Amino acid sequence: MPRRRMLTLRGTGALLAGIGCIVAANLVGAAILLYIGLLLLALTVFALIAVRAPRRSGSVTRQVSTDLITVSETSRVTLRFALRALRVPRGLWRDVLPDAVSGDAAGEYPPETGQLTYLLTGVRRGVWPIGPLMLRTVDPFGLAQREQAFGETRTVTVVPEVFTLSPLTVKVGAAGGTAQTSSSRLGQGSDNLSPRGYIPGDSMRRIHWRATAHRGQLMVRQEEEESSPDALVVLDRSAARWRKTEGEADPAFEAAVSLCASAAVHLMHEGYGVDVIDSAGALLGTLRGHEDDRDGLLVALALVTPRGDARDLAALVGGTPPGPLVYITGEIDEEDAALLRPAGAAAPMLFASGPLAGAAAAAAQHGWRVATLGDDIAGAWDDALPDRVSTAPVEPERSADGTR
C-alpha cells in the first residue's frame, strides 16, 4: 500500500515558490520577495505541524451482513470507528480493499450517521483481507496531509456462485432422490452397523465412536455394511487439464468450480445425499441436507486450485456405483475420454471446458451425457441431462368412424 506524501500538490508548490522567492530576492535585491518567500515557508511548516503533531488513536470493528460472499453478490459492511483525539478532524476515510472484491469504500469523516458503511461485491473467490481503515486529513490551507491507518484487517470469504439448475428428468440412485442417507462410501455409516477393530490405514471418518467408548479401543464400521452415497460430484482439478495463469483467475476453471458447487447443491435439494471429491480422491464436502454442509463445501471450493494428477475414476467410485455422477474437467482429448468409465453410475454426466476432437464421442460410447462447459453454466447442465421419460398417458388411436 503506497504511502501518501506529507505535502499536497498545493503544499509542494508553496514550498517551491517560497524557495524561489528567497533566491530571487537575493538576486534582484527585492525585500518584498524575501518576505513573501519566508511567509510561504512558514505557512508550509505550520501546515505540517498542524496535521502531524496531534496524537490520535482509535479502534475499528467491522460487521459484514453475510458470513460468506458469493461471486457477484453484494453485502453491506458496517464499520464502527472510535477515534481518540484532542479534536475530531475532518477529512476522508477509506477501507483498503483487495482486487478480489469491489466497493465504494470511502467517504467523508465524520459521517452524519455516526457509522461508516459501504457495499462490498465479490469479484473472485478466495479468502481476502479487507482493511485497515485509512483516515486522511488536510490542514485548512490544503498544504499538508496526513493519512493514518487504524485497526486490523479482517478476512472475507468469497465463494463460487451457485446457479439454479433444471431438475433431473428421472430419479435415480438407491434412495431415488427422496431421502438423505446417513451412510457414505467415504465412511459415514449409521450407528447400528456392526463394528470391528481399527486397522492402520482405516479412514478416521469410519470410526464408530459409540462402540469405541463402550469397548475402550478404536472401532470402525464394517465396510461391507456401508451403503453408497446417492450422488457423486467429481471436480477434476489436475494441473494438466487447465491453463496455467500467473496471478490471474482462469475463467474455465472458475466456471468448473461454480458448476461443481451448483450441481452439488442442486442434487442435495432434489433429495440426494451428495459427496464432492476432486480427481485425486480428496473429499471436498458432503451434503446431507444441512445448511452447514453447504457452507462447508462452498468454503472448501473457495480455496481450490488446479494441482496434482487425476486417479482412475473407477477407483474413486469404488465397488458400489452412485446414482447421478457428475464429472467436471477441463481440456480433454479423445484418448483421455476413452479411459473415463462411469463405473456403473445410473446417470453419468460429463462436463468439459475444452473437449478436443473426438473426446465427446469417445465418452458417449461409455454412456456419458457430454456437454461443453462455457459461460452458460445452467445451459450446459440442460445439455447433459438424461433423456426425459414420458409419464403422460397415451391416448388411444381413433378409427375411421371416430370410435376408439
Side-chain angles (χ1 to χ4, degrees), residues 332-376:
I332 185 172
D333 58 22
E334 183 178 0
E335 181 179 356
D336 292 330
L339 297 176
L340 280 179
R341 305 296 176 94
M349 293 179 282
L350 174 64
F351 299 88
S353 62
L356 301 181
Q365 290 180 356
H366 296 304
W368 290 100
R369 296 282 300 182
V370 185
T372 300
L373 178 59
D375 295 334
D376 187 1

mmCIF file of all heavy atoms in Angstrom, residues 332-376:
data_model
loop_
_atom_site.group_PDB
_atom_site.id
_atom_site.type_symbol
_atom_site.label_atom_id
_atom_site.label_comp_id
_atom_site.label_asym_id
_atom_site.label_seq_id
_atom_site.Cartn_x
_atom_site.Cartn_y
_atom_site.Cartn_z
ATOM 1 N N ILE A 332 -9.687 -31.998 -22.483
ATOM 2 C CA ILE A 332 -9.605 -33.451 -22.516
ATOM 3 C C ILE A 332 -9.605 -33.911 -23.967
ATOM 4 O O ILE A 332 -10.345 -33.381 -24.800
ATOM 5 C CB ILE A 332 -10.789 -34.065 -21.737
ATOM 6 C CG1 ILE A 332 -10.659 -35.583 -21.653
ATOM 7 C CG2 ILE A 332 -12.124 -33.654 -22.319
ATOM 8 C CD1 ILE A 332 -11.687 -36.216 -20.730
ATOM 9 N N ASP A 333 -8.730 -34.877 -24.278
ATOM 10 C CA ASP A 333 -8.657 -35.377 -25.649
ATOM 11 C C ASP A 333 -9.386 -36.709 -25.765
ATOM 12 O O ASP A 333 -9.940 -37.230 -24.793
ATOM 13 C CB ASP A 333 -7.199 -35.502 -26.103
ATOM 14 C CG ASP A 333 -6.369 -36.408 -25.202
ATOM 15 O OD1 ASP A 333 -6.964 -37.259 -24.501
ATOM 16 O OD2 ASP A 333 -5.143 -36.263 -25.171
ATOM 17 N N GLU A 334 -9.374 -37.264 -26.949
ATOM 18 C CA GLU A 334 -10.113 -38.500 -27.215
ATOM 19 C C GLU A 334 -9.585 -39.663 -26.400
ATOM 20 O O GLU A 334 -10.358 -40.476 -25.881
ATOM 21 C CB GLU A 334 -10.063 -38.821 -28.710
ATOM 22 C CG GLU A 334 -10.849 -40.051 -29.107
ATOM 23 C CD GLU A 334 -10.802 -40.295 -30.607
ATOM 24 O OE1 GLU A 334 -10.143 -39.499 -31.326
ATOM 25 O OE2 GLU A 334 -11.435 -41.277 -31.065
ATOM 26 N N GLU A 335 -8.275 -39.754 -26.264
ATOM 27 C CA GLU A 335 -7.689 -40.868 -25.516
ATOM 28 C C GLU A 335 -8.074 -40.807 -24.051
ATOM 29 O O GLU A 335 -8.439 -41.817 -23.437
ATOM 30 C CB GLU A 335 -6.164 -40.837 -25.668
ATOM 31 C CG GLU A 335 -5.457 -41.971 -24.940
ATOM 32 C CD GLU A 335 -3.954 -41.909 -25.127
ATOM 33 O OE1 GLU A 335 -3.484 -41.028 -25.883
ATOM 34 O OE2 GLU A 335 -3.251 -42.731 -24.520
ATOM 35 N N ASP A 336 -7.992 -39.608 -23.457
ATOM 36 C CA ASP A 336 -8.365 -39.481 -22.052
ATOM 37 C C ASP A 336 -9.854 -39.750 -21.851
ATOM 38 O O ASP A 336 -10.259 -40.353 -20.850
ATOM 39 C CB ASP A 336 -8.020 -38.077 -21.535
ATOM 40 C CG ASP A 336 -6.522 -37.848 -21.479
ATOM 41 O OD1 ASP A 336 -5.793 -38.830 -21.268
ATOM 42 O OD2 ASP A 336 -6.093 -36.696 -21.645
ATOM 43 N N ALA A 337 -10.681 -39.285 -22.784
ATOM 44 C CA ALA A 337 -12.124 -39.505 -22.655
ATOM 45 C C ALA A 337 -12.467 -40.984 -22.739
ATOM 46 O O ALA A 337 -13.392 -41.457 -22.062
ATOM 47 C CB ALA A 337 -12.865 -38.728 -23.740
ATOM 48 N N ALA A 338 -11.719 -41.726 -23.554
ATOM 49 C CA ALA A 338 -11.983 -43.154 -23.685
ATOM 50 C C ALA A 338 -11.653 -43.909 -22.404
ATOM 51 O O ALA A 338 -12.203 -44.985 -22.158
ATOM 52 C CB ALA A 338 -11.180 -43.727 -24.855
ATOM 53 N N LEU A 339 -10.781 -43.356 -21.577
ATOM 54 C CA LEU A 339 -10.411 -44.006 -20.319
ATOM 55 C C LEU A 339 -11.378 -43.690 -19.189
ATOM 56 O O LEU A 339 -11.297 -44.306 -18.122
ATOM 57 C CB LEU A 339 -8.991 -43.584 -19.912
ATOM 58 C CG LEU A 339 -7.872 -44.003 -20.872
ATOM 59 C CD1 LEU A 339 -6.536 -43.442 -20.406
ATOM 60 C CD2 LEU A 339 -7.807 -45.521 -20.992
ATOM 61 N N LEU A 340 -12.253 -42.720 -19.391
ATOM 62 C CA LEU A 340 -13.217 -42.357 -18.354
ATOM 63 C C LEU A 340 -14.391 -43.327 -18.401
ATOM 64 O O LEU A 340 -15.202 -43.291 -19.317
ATOM 65 C CB LEU A 340 -13.710 -40.912 -18.550
ATOM 66 C CG LEU A 340 -12.803 -39.795 -18.060
ATOM 67 C CD1 LEU A 340 -13.432 -38.446 -18.367
ATOM 68 C CD2 LEU A 340 -12.535 -39.923 -16.563
ATOM 69 N N ARG A 341 -14.473 -44.188 -17.433
ATOM 70 C CA ARG A 341 -15.571 -45.143 -17.355
ATOM 71 C C ARG A 341 -16.483 -44.741 -16.195
ATOM 72 O O ARG A 341 -16.004 -44.537 -15.071
ATOM 73 C CB ARG A 341 -15.044 -46.552 -17.134
ATOM 74 C CG ARG A 341 -14.017 -47.007 -18.176
ATOM 75 C CD ARG A 341 -14.626 -47.081 -19.567
ATOM 76 N NE ARG A 341 -13.641 -47.425 -20.578
ATOM 77 C CZ ARG A 341 -13.412 -48.674 -20.997
ATOM 78 N NH1 ARG A 341 -14.108 -49.669 -20.460
ATOM 79 N NH2 ARG A 341 -12.510 -48.912 -21.928
ATOM 80 N N PRO A 342 -17.781 -44.635 -16.427
ATOM 81 C CA PRO A 342 -18.689 -44.193 -15.360
ATOM 82 C C PRO A 342 -18.893 -45.201 -14.250
ATOM 83 O O PRO A 342 -19.597 -44.909 -13.279
ATOM 84 C CB PRO A 342 -19.997 -43.928 -16.103
ATOM 85 C CG PRO A 342 -19.913 -44.747 -17.347
ATOM 86 C CD PRO A 342 -18.468 -44.816 -17.720
ATOM 87 N N ALA A 343 -18.301 -46.371 -14.355
ATOM 88 C CA ALA A 343 -18.306 -47.373 -13.280
ATOM 89 C C ALA A 343 -19.709 -47.742 -12.826
ATOM 90 O O ALA A 343 -19.969 -47.920 -11.642
ATOM 91 C CB ALA A 343 -17.479 -46.861 -12.088
ATOM 92 N N GLY A 344 -20.645 -47.835 -13.761
ATOM 93 C CA GLY A 344 -21.981 -48.294 -13.439
ATOM 94 C C GLY A 344 -22.912 -47.248 -12.880
ATOM 95 O O GLY A 344 -23.994 -47.592 -12.399
ATOM 96 N N ALA A 345 -22.532 -45.987 -12.909
ATOM 97 C CA ALA A 345 -23.407 -44.938 -12.399
ATOM 98 C C ALA A 345 -24.692 -44.877 -13.213
ATOM 99 O O ALA A 345 -24.690 -45.097 -14.427
ATOM 100 C CB ALA A 345 -22.695 -43.584 -12.445
ATOM 101 N N ALA A 346 -25.805 -44.584 -12.542
ATOM 102 C CA ALA A 346 -27.103 -44.618 -13.212
ATOM 103 C C ALA A 346 -27.301 -43.431 -14.141
ATOM 104 O O ALA A 346 -27.991 -43.545 -15.146
ATOM 105 C CB ALA A 346 -28.219 -44.660 -12.167
ATOM 106 N N ALA A 347 -26.725 -42.293 -13.812
ATOM 107 C CA ALA A 347 -26.904 -41.096 -14.639
ATOM 108 C C ALA A 347 -25.578 -40.349 -14.712
ATOM 109 O O ALA A 347 -25.369 -39.363 -14.015
ATOM 110 C CB ALA A 347 -27.999 -40.196 -14.069
ATOM 111 N N PRO A 348 -24.636 -40.817 -15.540
ATOM 112 C CA PRO A 348 -23.327 -40.155 -15.640
ATOM 113 C C PRO A 348 -23.388 -38.929 -16.543
ATOM 114 O O PRO A 348 -23.875 -38.997 -17.674
ATOM 115 C CB PRO A 348 -22.432 -41.245 -16.229
ATOM 116 C CG PRO A 348 -23.363 -42.099 -17.035
ATOM 117 C CD PRO A 348 -24.707 -42.041 -16.345
ATOM 118 N N MET A 349 -22.911 -37.791 -16.049
ATOM 119 C CA MET A 349 -22.872 -36.552 -16.815
ATOM 120 C C MET A 349 -21.442 -36.020 -16.802
ATOM 121 O O MET A 349 -20.844 -35.856 -15.734
ATOM 122 C CB MET A 349 -23.831 -35.515 -16.234
ATOM 123 C CG MET A 349 -25.300 -35.896 -16.368
ATOM 124 S SD MET A 349 -26.418 -34.660 -15.644
ATOM 125 C CE MET A 349 -26.252 -35.050 -13.913
ATOM 126 N N LEU A 350 -20.902 -35.765 -17.994
ATOM 127 C CA LEU A 350 -19.526 -35.308 -18.152
ATOM 128 C C LEU A 350 -19.528 -33.888 -18.703
ATOM 129 O O LEU A 350 -20.133 -33.629 -19.747
ATOM 130 C CB LEU A 350 -18.757 -36.247 -19.084
ATOM 131 C CG LEU A 350 -17.332 -35.822 -19.467
ATOM 132 C CD1 LEU A 350 -16.431 -35.780 -18.238
ATOM 133 C CD2 LEU A 350 -16.757 -36.747 -20.527
ATOM 134 N N PHE A 351 -18.839 -32.992 -18.011
ATOM 135 C CA PHE A 351 -18.708 -31.607 -18.444
ATOM 136 C C PHE A 351 -17.233 -31.312 -18.680
ATOM 137 O O PHE A 351 -16.405 -31.551 -17.796
ATOM 138 C CB PHE A 351 -19.259 -30.645 -17.395
ATOM 139 C CG PHE A 351 -20.720 -30.841 -17.095
ATOM 140 C CD1 PHE A 351 -21.131 -31.740 -16.118
ATOM 141 C CD2 PHE A 351 -21.683 -30.135 -17.795
ATOM 142 C CE1 PHE A 351 -22.472 -31.925 -15.841
ATOM 143 C CE2 PHE A 351 -23.027 -30.318 -17.534
ATOM 144 C CZ PHE A 351 -23.417 -31.206 -16.558
ATOM 145 N N ALA A 352 -16.910 -30.800 -19.857
ATOM 146 C CA ALA A 352 -15.532 -30.478 -20.209
ATOM 147 C C ALA A 352 -15.494 -29.069 -20.777
ATOM 148 O O ALA A 352 -16.276 -28.732 -21.670
ATOM 149 C CB ALA A 352 -14.977 -31.473 -21.219
ATOM 150 N N SER A 353 -14.593 -28.248 -20.242
ATOM 151 C CA SER A 353 -14.498 -26.871 -20.724
ATOM 152 C C SER A 353 -13.734 -26.788 -22.039
ATOM 153 O O SER A 353 -13.893 -25.818 -22.785
ATOM 154 C CB SER A 353 -13.811 -25.994 -19.670
ATOM 155 O OG SER A 353 -12.484 -26.451 -19.442
ATOM 156 N N GLY A 354 -12.912 -27.802 -22.329
ATOM 157 C CA GLY A 354 -12.151 -27.784 -23.573
ATOM 158 C C GLY A 354 -12.048 -29.152 -24.201
ATOM 159 O O GLY A 354 -10.940 -29.723 -24.308
ATOM 160 N N PRO A 355 -13.161 -29.739 -24.642
ATOM 161 C CA PRO A 355 -13.079 -31.067 -25.270
ATOM 162 C C PRO A 355 -12.443 -30.968 -26.655
ATOM 163 O O PRO A 355 -12.866 -30.172 -27.487
ATOM 164 C CB PRO A 355 -14.542 -31.501 -25.342
ATOM 165 C CG PRO A 355 -15.325 -30.222 -25.391
ATOM 166 C CD PRO A 355 -14.537 -29.240 -24.570
ATOM 167 N N LEU A 356 -11.430 -31.780 -26.904
ATOM 168 C CA LEU A 356 -10.777 -31.792 -28.207
ATOM 169 C C LEU A 356 -11.549 -32.714 -29.148
ATOM 170 O O LEU A 356 -12.513 -33.374 -28.766
ATOM 171 C CB LEU A 356 -9.328 -32.246 -28.048
ATOM 172 C CG LEU A 356 -8.456 -31.381 -27.119
ATOM 173 C CD1 LEU A 356 -7.036 -31.909 -27.061
ATOM 174 C CD2 LEU A 356 -8.472 -29.919 -27.552
ATOM 175 N N ALA A 357 -11.114 -32.751 -30.386
ATOM 176 C CA ALA A 357 -11.824 -33.519 -31.409
ATOM 177 C C ALA A 357 -11.923 -34.991 -31.011
ATOM 178 O O ALA A 357 -10.920 -35.612 -30.645
ATOM 179 C CB ALA A 357 -11.112 -33.382 -32.752
ATOM 180 N N GLY A 358 -13.119 -35.535 -31.071
ATOM 181 C CA GLY A 358 -13.347 -36.941 -30.778
ATOM 182 C C GLY A 358 -13.570 -37.259 -29.321
ATOM 183 O O GLY A 358 -13.962 -38.385 -28.998
ATOM 184 N N ALA A 359 -13.331 -36.293 -28.414
ATOM 185 C CA ALA A 359 -13.453 -36.579 -26.989
ATOM 186 C C ALA A 359 -14.898 -36.844 -26.595
ATOM 187 O O ALA A 359 -15.191 -37.791 -25.857
ATOM 188 C CB ALA A 359 -12.880 -35.421 -26.172
ATOM 189 N N ALA A 360 -15.815 -36.025 -27.082
ATOM 190 C CA ALA A 360 -17.218 -36.193 -26.713
ATOM 191 C C ALA A 360 -17.760 -37.527 -27.211
ATOM 192 O O ALA A 360 -18.481 -38.234 -26.493
ATOM 193 C CB ALA A 360 -18.042 -35.037 -27.271
ATOM 194 N N ALA A 361 -17.415 -37.919 -28.433
ATOM 195 C CA ALA A 361 -17.898 -39.179 -28.980
ATOM 196 C C ALA A 361 -17.326 -40.368 -28.222
ATOM 197 O O ALA A 361 -18.028 -41.353 -27.957
ATOM 198 C CB ALA A 361 -17.541 -39.268 -30.460
ATOM 199 N N ALA A 362 -16.041 -40.273 -27.839
ATOM 200 C CA ALA A 362 -15.421 -41.371 -27.099
ATOM 201 C C ALA A 362 -16.065 -41.544 -25.737
ATOM 202 O O ALA A 362 -16.272 -42.673 -25.270
ATOM 203 C CB ALA A 362 -13.921 -41.115 -26.954
ATOM 204 N N ALA A 363 -16.402 -40.445 -25.083
ATOM 205 C CA ALA A 363 -17.050 -40.536 -23.773
ATOM 206 C C ALA A 363 -18.482 -41.037 -23.909
ATOM 207 O O ALA A 363 -18.959 -41.816 -23.081
ATOM 208 C CB ALA A 363 -17.021 -39.170 -23.080
ATOM 209 N N ALA A 364 -19.170 -40.608 -24.948
ATOM 210 C CA ALA A 364 -20.564 -41.018 -25.139
ATOM 211 C C ALA A 364 -20.678 -42.522 -25.354
ATOM 212 O O ALA A 364 -21.695 -43.131 -25.007
ATOM 213 C CB ALA A 364 -21.172 -40.265 -26.308
ATOM 214 N N GLN A 365 -19.655 -43.150 -25.902
ATOM 215 C CA GLN A 365 -19.685 -44.595 -26.118
ATOM 216 C C GLN A 365 -19.745 -45.372 -24.808
ATOM 217 O O GLN A 365 -20.193 -46.513 -24.786
ATOM 218 C CB GLN A 365 -18.454 -45.024 -26.919
ATOM 219 C CG GLN A 365 -18.469 -44.553 -28.366
ATOM 220 C CD GLN A 365 -17.231 -44.998 -29.127
ATOM 221 O OE1 GLN A 365 -16.318 -45.597 -28.559
ATOM 222 N NE2 GLN A 365 -17.205 -44.712 -30.427
ATOM 223 N N HIS A 366 -19.293 -44.740 -23.726
ATOM 224 C CA HIS A 366 -19.339 -45.391 -22.415
ATOM 225 C C HIS A 366 -20.586 -45.000 -21.626
ATOM 226 O O HIS A 366 -20.685 -45.339 -20.433
ATOM 227 C CB HIS A 366 -18.095 -45.037 -21.606
ATOM 228 C CG HIS A 366 -16.812 -45.536 -22.217
ATOM 229 N ND1 HIS A 366 -16.599 -46.867 -22.511
ATOM 230 C CD2 HIS A 366 -15.690 -44.875 -22.602
ATOM 231 C CE1 HIS A 366 -15.393 -47.015 -23.040
ATOM 232 N NE2 HIS A 366 -14.821 -45.819 -23.116
ATOM 233 N N GLY A 367 -21.488 -44.267 -22.245
ATOM 234 C CA GLY A 367 -22.732 -43.931 -21.578
ATOM 235 C C GLY A 367 -22.801 -42.550 -20.976
ATOM 236 O O GLY A 367 -23.792 -42.204 -20.332
ATOM 237 N N TRP A 368 -21.757 -41.736 -21.175
ATOM 238 C CA TRP A 368 -21.768 -40.386 -20.614
ATOM 239 C C TRP A 368 -22.720 -39.502 -21.402
ATOM 240 O O TRP A 368 -22.834 -39.606 -22.615
ATOM 241 C CB TRP A 368 -20.376 -39.755 -20.669
ATOM 242 C CG TRP A 368 -19.352 -40.335 -19.755
ATOM 243 C CD1 TRP A 368 -18.381 -41.225 -20.085
ATOM 244 C CD2 TRP A 368 -19.195 -40.039 -18.371
ATOM 245 N NE1 TRP A 368 -17.612 -41.513 -18.994
ATOM 246 C CE2 TRP A 368 -18.089 -40.799 -17.918
ATOM 247 C CE3 TRP A 368 -19.863 -39.226 -17.463
ATOM 248 C CZ2 TRP A 368 -17.654 -40.760 -16.594
ATOM 249 C CZ3 TRP A 368 -19.432 -39.174 -16.147
ATOM 250 C CH2 TRP A 368 -18.341 -39.942 -15.728
ATOM 251 N N ARG A 369 -23.397 -38.606 -20.691
ATOM 252 C CA ARG A 369 -24.070 -37.479 -21.317
ATOM 253 C C ARG A 369 -23.076 -36.328 -21.273
ATOM 254 O O ARG A 369 -22.706 -35.851 -20.193
ATOM 255 C CB ARG A 369 -25.342 -37.119 -20.558
ATOM 256 C CG ARG A 369 -26.388 -38.214 -20.578
ATOM 257 C CD ARG A 369 -27.139 -38.263 -21.883
ATOM 258 N NE ARG A 369 -27.840 -37.014 -22.148
ATOM 259 C CZ ARG A 369 -28.606 -36.784 -23.198
ATOM 260 N NH1 ARG A 369 -28.753 -37.741 -24.116
ATOM 261 N NH2 ARG A 369 -29.218 -35.641 -23.359
ATOM 262 N N VAL A 370 -22.593 -35.880 -22.434
ATOM 263 C CA VAL A 370 -21.467 -34.943 -22.517
ATOM 264 C C VAL A 370 -21.981 -33.559 -22.870
ATOM 265 O O VAL A 370 -22.859 -33.396 -23.719
ATOM 266 C CB VAL A 370 -20.434 -35.418 -23.557
ATOM 267 C CG1 VAL A 370 -19.210 -34.507 -23.547
ATOM 268 C CG2 VAL A 370 -20.022 -36.865 -23.281
ATOM 269 N N ALA A 371 -21.405 -32.539 -22.221
ATOM 270 C CA ALA A 371 -21.730 -31.150 -22.523
ATOM 271 C C ALA A 371 -20.470 -30.318 -22.399
ATOM 272 O O ALA A 371 -19.599 -30.605 -21.568
ATOM 273 C CB ALA A 371 -22.814 -30.611 -21.595
ATOM 274 N N THR A 372 -20.359 -29.318 -23.260
ATOM 275 C CA THR A 372 -19.240 -28.388 -23.196
ATOM 276 C C THR A 372 -19.559 -27.287 -22.203
ATOM 277 O O THR A 372 -20.616 -26.656 -22.274
ATOM 278 C CB THR A 372 -18.958 -27.774 -24.579
ATOM 279 O OG1 THR A 372 -18.648 -28.827 -25.496
ATOM 280 C CG2 THR A 372 -17.780 -26.812 -24.509
ATOM 281 N N LEU A 373 -18.645 -27.052 -21.269
ATOM 282 C CA LEU A 373 -18.855 -26.066 -20.210
ATOM 283 C C LEU A 373 -18.277 -24.728 -20.640
ATOM 284 O O LEU A 373 -17.083 -24.614 -20.918
ATOM 285 C CB LEU A 373 -18.189 -26.541 -18.916
ATOM 286 C CG LEU A 373 -18.286 -25.603 -17.718
ATOM 287 C CD1 LEU A 373 -19.741 -25.328 -17.359
ATOM 288 C CD2 LEU A 373 -17.523 -26.174 -16.537
ATOM 289 N N GLY A 374 -19.139 -23.725 -20.699
ATOM 290 C CA GLY A 374 -18.711 -22.375 -21.035
ATOM 291 C C GLY A 374 -19.236 -21.381 -20.021
ATOM 292 O O GLY A 374 -19.338 -21.679 -18.831
ATOM 293 N N ASP A 375 -19.591 -20.200 -20.500
ATOM 294 C CA ASP A 375 -20.109 -19.170 -19.603
ATOM 295 C C ASP A 375 -21.509 -19.503 -19.109
ATOM 296 O O ASP A 375 -21.885 -19.123 -18.000
ATOM 297 C CB ASP A 375 -20.119 -17.812 -20.315
ATOM 298 C CG ASP A 375 -18.716 -17.337 -20.655
ATOM 299 O OD1 ASP A 375 -17.775 -17.752 -19.941
ATOM 300 O OD2 ASP A 375 -18.556 -16.569 -21.624
ATOM 301 N N ASP A 376 -22.298 -20.189 -19.936
ATOM 302 C CA ASP A 376 -23.673 -20.520 -19.573
ATOM 303 C C ASP A 376 -23.675 -21.847 -18.822
ATOM 304 O O ASP A 376 -23.810 -22.926 -19.417
ATOM 305 C CB ASP A 376 -24.548 -20.594 -20.824
ATOM 306 C CG ASP A 376 -26.026 -20.770 -20.499
ATOM 307 O OD1 ASP A 376 -26.367 -20.815 -19.306
ATOM 308 O OD2 ASP A 376 -26.827 -20.870 -21.439
#
